[in-house]
């Protein structure tokens, strides 16, 4: 549930006056073009960004007052700049890492004191349960569980990110760029997967460019407060995913390169001046030597 929710960043309002009501097991689609605050809304509803207006309630926990508690019951799929998959790791390494983190930070003290064999069996059971819910068949991957993330197809990477999020058994799960770079067939499979997750009782928030007809649709549009500072819509997309302006500001690197150009003449000028100054100095010493020799010869002739 959210009422009058608004989030303001350095460049203006990312979103404002958002109100919605969704029950457990609902499929909520945050629909809109890139740069309209849809990722910020996703992160705000999962307790990752603090809002400045209105309030929301997730599982009986009020936002933004209890953001930490909401994060414990809300999982994230792949969100660029927040919970990305590591392309250098394999599928098995991602699963084992998440199982270790889950046991360390979300498990009870009694669970930590169990025998290593018991803990390992529980971790394997949790991994198998999450993979089944996400529909990811490790045997169908090119190298099985040893397949690197960089070798996964877009839909397979989406399934892996959802499996990792489901390992925490959350009550709410958020997925960014659900239909990005997917064919029509893969897009249909992705939405079927999210419907299955929602049917299991987990509320799903999915960012997309086009929502299915059966989803609870929340449409985001650009606001006057959010767009004037950013200009075109394309540069604003990274701001909503990885923090405002972090992806667009590296273009300023070209300024130091232009500043270094005058440095070359500045370095050569001092180098040439001393050379010009040494010339006269050497000539003066030669003149003095010649004059002294002439005087000596004259004195010898007089003697």
């Amino acid at each position: 549930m959210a009422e009058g929710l608004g989030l303001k960043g350095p460049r203006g309002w990312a979103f404002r006056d958002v109100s919605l009501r969704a029950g457990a097991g609902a499929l909520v689609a945050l629909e809109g073009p890139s740069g309209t605050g849809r990722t910020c809304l996703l992160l705000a509803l999962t307790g990752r960004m603090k809002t400045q207006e209105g309030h929301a309630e997730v599982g009986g926990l009020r936002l933004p007052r209890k953001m930490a508690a909401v994060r414990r019951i809300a999982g994230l799929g792949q969100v660029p700049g927040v919970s990305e998959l590591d392309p250098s790791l394999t599928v098995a390494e991602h699963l084992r890492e998440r199982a270790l983190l889950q046991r360390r930070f979300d498990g009870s003290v009694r669970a930590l004191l169990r025998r290593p064999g018991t803990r390992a069996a529980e971790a394997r059971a949790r991994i198998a349960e999450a993979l089944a819910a996400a529909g990811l068949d490790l045997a169908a991957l090119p190298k099985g569980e040893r397949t690197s993330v960089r070798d996964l197809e877009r839909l397979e990477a989406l399934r892996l990110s959802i499996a990792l999020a489901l390992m925490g058994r959350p009550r709410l799960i958020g997925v960014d760029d659900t239909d990005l770079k997917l064919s029509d067939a893969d897009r249909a499979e992705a939405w079927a997967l999210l419907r299955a997750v929602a049917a299991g009782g987990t509320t799903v928030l999915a960012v997309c460019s086009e929502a299915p007809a059966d989803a609870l649709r929340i449409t985001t549009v650009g606001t006057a407060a959010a767009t004037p500072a950013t200009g075109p819509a394309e540069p604003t997309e990274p701001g909503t995913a990885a923090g405002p302006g972090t992806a667009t500001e590296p273009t300023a690197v070209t300024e130091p390169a232009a500043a270094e150009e005058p440095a070359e003449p500045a370095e050569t000028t001092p180098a040439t001046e001393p050379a010009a100054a040494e010339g006269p100095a050497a000539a003066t010493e030669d003149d003095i030597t010649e004059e002294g020799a002439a005087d000596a010869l004259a004195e010898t002739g007089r003697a």
Side-chain angles (χ1 to χ4, degrees):
M1 183 270 290
E3 291 185 3
L5 206 62
L7 187 147
K8 188 176 183 180
R11 300 183 178 183
W13 289 96
F15 60 84
R16 202 172 187 183
D17 297 327
V18 175
S19 298
L20 66 98
R21 289 182 180 273
L27 176 59
V28 183
L30 306 180
E31 179 189 51
S34 299
T36 56
R38 54 184 192 171
T39 302
C40 291
L41 179 57
L42 172 73
L43 295 175
L45 291 174
T46 53
R48 270 75 177 181
M49 295 187 77
K50 187 176 182 179
T51 55
Q52 284 72 43
E53 281 189 352
H55 67 277
E57 189 173 303
V58 179
L61 302 172
R62 191 179 180 88
L63 290 171
R65 184 184 306 170
K66 296 184 177 181
M67 293 177 59
V70 170
R71 286 195 295 270
R72 285 194 289 270
I73 66 170
L76 279 183
Q78 186 170 359
V79 178
V82 180
S83 57
E84 291 178 305
L85 300 175
D86 191 334
S88 63
L89 296 181
T90 65
V91 174
E93 289 170 340
H94 274 91
L95 294 171
R96 285 196 296 268
E97 179 187 50
R98 183 58 59 92
L100 290 173
L101 292 173
Q102 195 70 36
R103 186 180 66 194
R104 173 64 180 81
F105 294 104
D106 293 337
S108 63
V109 177
R110 180 176 297 179
L112 293 175
L113 297 177
R114 292 174 183 170
R115 294 181 178 180
T118 303
R119 295 199 301 265
E122 291 176 351
R124 288 193 296 269
R126 180 166 291 200
I127 290 174
E129 177 185 348
L131 290 175
L136 182 60
D137 185 6
L138 298 182
L141 299 179
K143 296 181 181 179
E145 64 177 12
R146 299 178 61 185
T147 303
S148 298
V149 168
R150 64 169 60 93
D151 297 328
L152 295 177
E153 299 292 338
R154 169 66 184 172
L155 182 59
E156 293 170 342
L158 178 64
R159 291 184 184 277
L160 175 58
S161 67
I162 292 175
L164 295 175
L166 291 176
M167 286 180 64
R169 295 169 182 166
R171 299 170 61 180
L172 170 68
I173 184 173
V175 183
D176 195 17
D177 293 333
T178 303
D179 54 359
L180 180 65
K181 298 180 180 180
L182 290 180
S183 63
D184 293 340
D186 288 345
R187 187 179 295 111
E189 288 190 35
W191 285 114
L193 167 61
L194 296 181
R195 290 188 190 97
V197 173
T202 303
T203 304
V204 177
L205 297 176
V207 171
C208 61
S209 58
E210 185 177 355
D214 60 341
L216 176 60
R217 183 179 306 177
I218 306 297
T219 303
T220 60
V221 294
T223 59
T227 55
T230 58
E234 293 179 359
T236 61
E237 181 181 358
T240 59
T246 56
T248 56
E249 290 180 1
T251 55
V253 176
T254 57
E255 295 180 3
E260 290 177 359
E261 293 178 359
E264 295 181 359
E267 292 178 359
T268 56
T269 303
T272 56
E273 289 178 359
E278 289 175 0
T284 303
E285 292 176 359
D286 294 340
D287 293 342
I288 293 173
T289 304
E290 292 175 1
E291 290 177 1
D295 292 342
L297 288 173
E299 290 180 1
T300 303
R302 291 191 196 100

